[in-house]
Amino acid sequence: MSLLQEWRAIAYEQEKTPKEDQLFWANYFNIEKGIYEQLLADPNTVVEGTVEELASKYNTNLSMMVGFLDGINDSLKVQNPIEEMEATTKVNLGFDLEKLYFNMVGAKAEWLYELPAWDNLLPEDKRKELFRTSKLSGTVIKDKKIGRNDPCPCGSGKKYKKCCGANL
């Protein structure tokens, strides 16, 4: 079983009581917040190392580090091979600031996108724009429905009901 599969089995295990599940995630989110605080304190330094070295550096266990790597992977400039990752796999935490903020908003992780460090990293107007864009990315906007008597969108000049709408 890969490290990622082990993490997912632990994180999403169905046999935990609701209280155990709540405690697990509260602990994970606290660890995650601590790692992000350190990363955002010096965003220009790209952190590299094996999975086990990073777990040790951030004072967490291997499983929690794998969970963190799974969560940050979409925000990295070069994604890590998380599916095949072993304890000795060398990983890179070189993240894109805007993509990271956007993804934190998308994940509804207020404890992360409201970290004070963001005030010095992205201007407020940029954060608002990314916030708005992230929130809208999950919103489905329907196009205006074509009426029977409207001109056909194919450009034939006929009414929709006599052209492309005839087969409906």
Side-chain angles (χ1 to χ4, degrees):
M1 184 182 279
S2 75
L3 288 176
L4 186 62
Q5 290 172 324
E6 287 176 26
W7 158 252
R8 289 181 176 165
I10 293 167
Y12 305 109
E13 182 182 294
Q14 300 300 316
E15 297 173 19
K16 289 186 277 195
T17 66
K19 185 163 180 79
E20 290 171 332
D21 195 49
Q22 186 178 17
L23 287 172
F24 172 83
W25 285 108
N27 182 44
Y28 171 77
F29 294 147
N30 192 36
I31 291 167
E32 178 185 46
K33 181 179 176 184
I35 295 172
Y36 276 118
E37 286 172 335
Q38 292 178 55
L39 288 174
L40 293 174
D42 187 11
N44 296 322
T45 301
V46 177
V47 177
E48 293 180 316
T50 65
V51 178
E52 57 192 358
E53 287 170 350
L54 293 182
S56 177
K57 175 182 173 117
Y58 293 112
N59 199 27
T60 188
N61 64 41
L62 194 61
S63 182
M64 292 291 190
M65 191 68 219
V66 170
F68 177 82
L69 291 169
D70 185 23
I72 196 173
N73 210 41
D74 288 338
S75 302
L76 300 176
K77 292 176 183 172
V78 177
Q79 292 189 351
N80 291 310
I82 60 170
E83 297 291 335
E84 308 88 44
M85 209 163 42
E86 300 292 328
T88 57
T89 303
K90 190 161 180 142
V91 293
N92 176 323
L93 297 181
F95 55 88
D96 177 292
L97 269 176
E98 291 184 11
K99 196 187 285 188
L100 181 62
Y101 188 84
F102 178 89
N103 289 337
M104 286 176 171
V105 172
K108 298 179 179 141
E110 288 179 35
W111 63 96
L112 298 177
Y113 67 77
E114 290 182 354
L115 286 170
W118 285 111
D119 294 342
N120 302 322
L121 299 173
L122 291 173
E124 186 176 353
D125 58 329
K126 186 63 178 176
R127 289 194 315 265
K128 285 181 179 179
E129 176 191 330
L130 290 168
F131 186 90
R132 205 173 310 113
T133 305
S134 181
K135 292 293 185 183
L136 287 175
S137 69
T139 305
V140 177
I141 300 172
K142 290 186 177 182
D143 288 336
K144 183 180 176 272
K145 187 175 177 184
I146 302 167
R148 294 171 24 91
N149 292 315
D150 290 340
C152 191
C154 76
S156 66
K158 297 180 184 178
K159 287 186 178 183
Y160 180 69
K161 67 182 178 184
K162 295 284 187 182
C163 189
C164 295
N167 297 331
L168 297 178

